[in-house]
């Protein structure tokens, strides 16, 4: 049998972050003349904003307004409901009420007419390759701002300056370059947040940082399709079967078997929704002997049968 633990580094959190990727869905270059106020409904994908010219205001999911200055960048990792405006109280309208034109593949331009010098925004919708129920995503705050991270990660400043140059110039290919920079910046925002302690030293993060349990969690997340047994996980920790099970449950708050099942079902939901795989294919990938057995496990963890997500996906596509 292969020693899968050899794929792990010395830092479990780094190992788990290796599996976290951002994939751009669409980007926009917005030129907004005052006054303006755009409402954004909740969405499954993350939202990203970079202010290239003139400050504006963000109404956070909590309802509180905060000012975004020129050069600021913001990531809303779970795409929660929010608004952007030239100033709090400006007349609002939904984002789908504006005319948006495509300037190149997956890059769009929105502009408004007004009397005052406008705000220049670079906006992006992007999704993580991880399921929305992944513990790391669940712990992230609704809003992550670069202004709160620059002091701890000076490299962010260089990326912001590069983005500002490209956003303002409108040179050939600039939209694609800014899109790639946005991907990198979003990943750095998350990494900086993790390195600063994720805002909480307890719960799942504390379990990941445990020298022994963290190594096991990293192995599970790196290979969710593997048929993990308690014995195999105990070997990764270097402990007896009973000693491992007791320590894992005490720190993580779940038995090893239940945690493995949760990770596998979160992966299954990704395949059903994002990759649109058939239920039978997902069941086979995860090693289930029957579609029925897989469906029971899926509903027990996710709360809905797998067919619900296939139906929802087809309805949204129509």
């Amino acid at each position: 049998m292969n020693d899968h633990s050899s794929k792990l580094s010395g830092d479990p959190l780094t190992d788990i972050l290796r599996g976290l990727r951002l994939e751009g869905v669409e980007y926009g270059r917005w030129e907004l003349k005052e006054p303006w106020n755009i409402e954004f409904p909740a969405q499954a994908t993350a939202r990203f904003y970079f202010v290239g010219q003139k400050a504006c205001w963000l109404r956070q999911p909590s309802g509180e307004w905060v000012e975004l200055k020129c050069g600021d960048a913001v990531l809303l990792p779970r795409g929660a409901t929010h608004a952007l405006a030239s100033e709090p109280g400006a007349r609002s309208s939904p984002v789908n009420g504006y005319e948006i034109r495509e300037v190149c593949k997956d890059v769009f331009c929105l502009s408004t007419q007004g009397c005052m010098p406008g705000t220049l925004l670079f906006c992006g919708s992007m999704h993580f390759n991880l399921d929305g129920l992944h513990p790391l995503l669940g712990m992230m705050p609704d809003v992550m701002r670069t202004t709160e991270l620059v002091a701890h990660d000076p490299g962010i400043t260089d990326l912001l300056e590069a983005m500002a140059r490209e956003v303002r110039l409108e040179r050939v290919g600039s939209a694609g370059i800014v899109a790639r920079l946005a991907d990198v910046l979003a990943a750095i925002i998350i990494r900086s947040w993790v390195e600063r302690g994720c805002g909480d030293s307890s719960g799942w993060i504390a379990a990941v940082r445990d020298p022994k349990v963290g190594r096991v969690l990293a192995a599970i997340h790196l290979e969710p399709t593997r048929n993990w047994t308690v014995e195999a996980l105990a070997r990764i920790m270097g402990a007896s079967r009973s000693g491992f099970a007791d320590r894992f449950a005490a720190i993580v708050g779940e038995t090893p078997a239940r945690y493995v099942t949760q990770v596998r079902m979160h992966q299954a939901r990704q395949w059903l929704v994002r990759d649109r795989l058939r239920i039978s294919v997902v069941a086979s990938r995860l090693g289930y002997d029957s579609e029925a057995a897989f469906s029971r496990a899926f509903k027990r963890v996710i709360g809905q049968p797998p067919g619900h997500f296939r139906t929802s996906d087809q309805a949204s596509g129509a």
Side-chain angles (χ1 to χ4, degrees), residues 157-167 178 181:
T157 302
D158 296 332
L159 267 176
L160 293 174
E161 291 175 352
M163 288 186 69
R165 288 194 298 269
E166 293 295 335
V167 167
V178 176
L181 290 173

Side-chain angles (χ1 to χ4, degrees), residues 29-240:
R29 185 182 190 277
W30 293 4
E31 301 170 8
L32 302 164
K33 306 286 183 162
E34 297 182 4
W36 58 273
N37 185 336
I38 305 178
E39 298 280 343
F40 295 88
Q43 64 177 35
T45 54
R47 289 274 191 185
F48 175 88
Y49 301 104
F50 173 75
V51 184
Q53 174 181 291
K54 194 173 176 61
C56 64
W57 291 79
L58 167 70
R59 192 190 70 216
Q60 302 180 98
S62 64
E64 179 186 1
W65 286 93
V66 295
E67 186 177 20
L68 304 180
K69 299 183 182 299
C70 181
D72 279 353
V74 176
L75 176 68
L76 288 86
R78 289 183 297 278
T81 302
H82 61 286
L84 288 171
S86 54
E87 63 180 357
R91 183 179 177 182
S92 66
S93 57
V95 66
N96 58 14
Y98 290 87
E99 181 179 349
I100 302 176
R101 62 183 177 87
E102 187 171 10
V103 294
C104 62
K105 179 175 170 51
D106 293 331
V107 180
F108 301 82
C109 182
L110 179 151
S111 59
T112 62
Q113 300 299 319
C115 301
M116 301 290 288
T119 299
L120 183 60
L121 287 175
F122 178 81
C123 312
S125 287
M126 53 184 70
H127 66 77
F128 298 97
N129 65 314
L130 301 179
D131 183 80
L133 295 178
H134 189 286
L136 185 62
L137 295 185
M139 290 184 65
M140 291 180 188
D142 287 331
V143 178
M144 305 168 77
R145 300 178 59 192
T146 54
T147 51
E148 300 165 354
L149 303 172
V150 167
H152 302 272
D153 197 333
I156 289 177
T157 302
D158 296 332
L159 267 176
L160 293 174
E161 291 175 352
M163 288 186 69
R165 288 194 298 269
E166 293 295 335
V167 167
R168 296 192 190 106
L169 291 177
E170 289 191 83
R171 296 174 59 187
V172 174
S174 63
I177 291 174
V178 176
R180 300 289 79 76
L181 290 173
D183 285 347
V184 173
L185 181 57
I188 289 177
I189 289 172
I190 294 169
R191 183 184 68 182
S192 181
W193 171 75
V194 168
E195 289 177 344
R196 291 177 59 202
C198 303
D200 187 1
S201 60
S202 62
W204 184 80
I205 287 295
V208 173
R209 287 179 170 151
D210 181 272
K212 294 185 176 180
V213 173
R215 188 171 173 83
V216 175
L217 292 177
I220 295 170
H221 282 276
L222 285 174
E223 296 186 276
T225 59
R226 185 182 175 191
N227 184 23
W228 289 107
T229 64
V230 174
E231 290 81 1
L233 295 173
R235 283 197 296 271
I236 292 176
M237 181 185 281
S240 67

